[in-house]
Amino acid sequence: MRYENIHKHTKYSNIFTPDCIISPEDVAKRAVELGHKTISTVEHGYAGNVFEYYDVAQKYGLKMIFGVEFYYVKDRFKKDGTNAHLLILAKNNYGKKQLTKLISEANRTGYYKKPRIDESLLFSLNPEDVVVTSTCIMSPYNLYQDESFITNCYDYFKENFYLEIQCHTHIKQVEYNQRLLELHKKYNIPFIFATDTHYIYEEDAKYRDLFLKGKKIFYPEEEGFVMDYPDPEKIFQRFEQQGVFTREQIESALQNTWIVDDFEEIKMNKEIKMPSIYPNCTHEQKIEKLKSI
């Protein structure tokens, strides 16, 4: 059963503490292998090397989905190092511009150890232009134990908000999925599936572990998680091992990733764009100013 990988990371993810060793092309090759139609730019804190993603998407006949896994805090003007994770995808070019603005604001006004957004920036987005998910176990809902975060997002983004379920068999993920299931029953918020890919095949985990060890990096919240790019059979096996969701709920979550099929194609070009401090001057007037300088 086809799904689309909306939540993945590469060597461009988390430029503050390197997170992965795979490239966008590695992800694209696996997407083609599994019959997927898209590749997302999602990285930690920003959208990665967007032009490389665009080239890779063109090369492999995939549609580029512009998205970011933002670092999120309640108030970006406070020294808050909790840095929850929040996945946001642009449905169209308007959404891409809005997410680009959030990346800028996260660095300009929200930087504390990492670039962070908060609820004022989150709810400044046009709910028609983006899709937001509850994200991984590092979500604001899980870190802050705040159910109102989920209800506020659902009230604002409506059908463009999803509860993100992942198939890791670690007990932390199982417990988190059980809480998401209760929210689903309580508010009827739909599920969406995500892999949180950090490498392609399960056996590749050791290479990432060696890389992180060499950088003296350890993520205790990820210990025991398998963050590969699995085929559907493996996904269903892992969910069955979790024992949380019904087959119907899992299938629905995978089918909901198909929303990206209807996302607008992101248009980009590589023309050099020169900003001007004299936007109201003619070209000739600009030349004269340059000569006088």
Side-chain angles (χ1 to χ4, degrees), residues 244-282:
V244 177
F245 304 112
T246 67
R247 175 83 182 196
E248 183 180 17
Q249 288 168 336
I250 298 165
E251 289 179 352
S252 175
L254 267 67
Q255 288 172 353
N256 283 337
T257 66
W258 301 351
I259 58 173
V260 296
D261 291 352
D262 297 323
F263 280 16
E264 180 181 299
E265 192 88 37
I266 299 296
K267 301 296 183 183
M268 300 183 68
N269 66 68
K270 295 184 178 181
E271 293 178 4
I272 296 174
K273 304 168 185 67
M274 295 296 292
S276 174
I277 59 173
Y278 305 110
N280 298 320
C281 290
T282 66

Side-chain angles (χ1 to χ4, degrees), residues 49 112 126 271:
N49 189 335
Y112 176 68
N126 186 329
E271 293 178 4

Side-chain angles (χ1 to χ4, degrees), residues 32-71:
V32 171
E33 182 181 344
L34 294 180
H36 294 178
K37 301 178 180 180
T38 62
I39 182 171
S40 75
T41 69
V42 169
E43 306 288 10
H44 288 111
Y46 76 135
N49 189 335
V50 180
F51 284 106
E52 182 173 336
Y53 274 113
Y54 191 72
D55 288 344
V56 167
Q58 300 291 309
K59 179 179 178 180
Y60 287 91
L62 301 169
K63 179 165 67 173
M64 187 185 82
I65 304 300
F66 187 92
V68 180
E69 186 174 12
F70 285 100
Y71 293 107

Side-chain angles (χ1 to χ4, degrees), residues 38 67 114 135 156 161 236 241 255 257 290:
T38 62
K114 294 178 180 178
T135 321
Y156 185 77
F161 180 72
F236 282 106
Q241 189 175 342
Q255 288 172 353
T257 66
L290 177 60

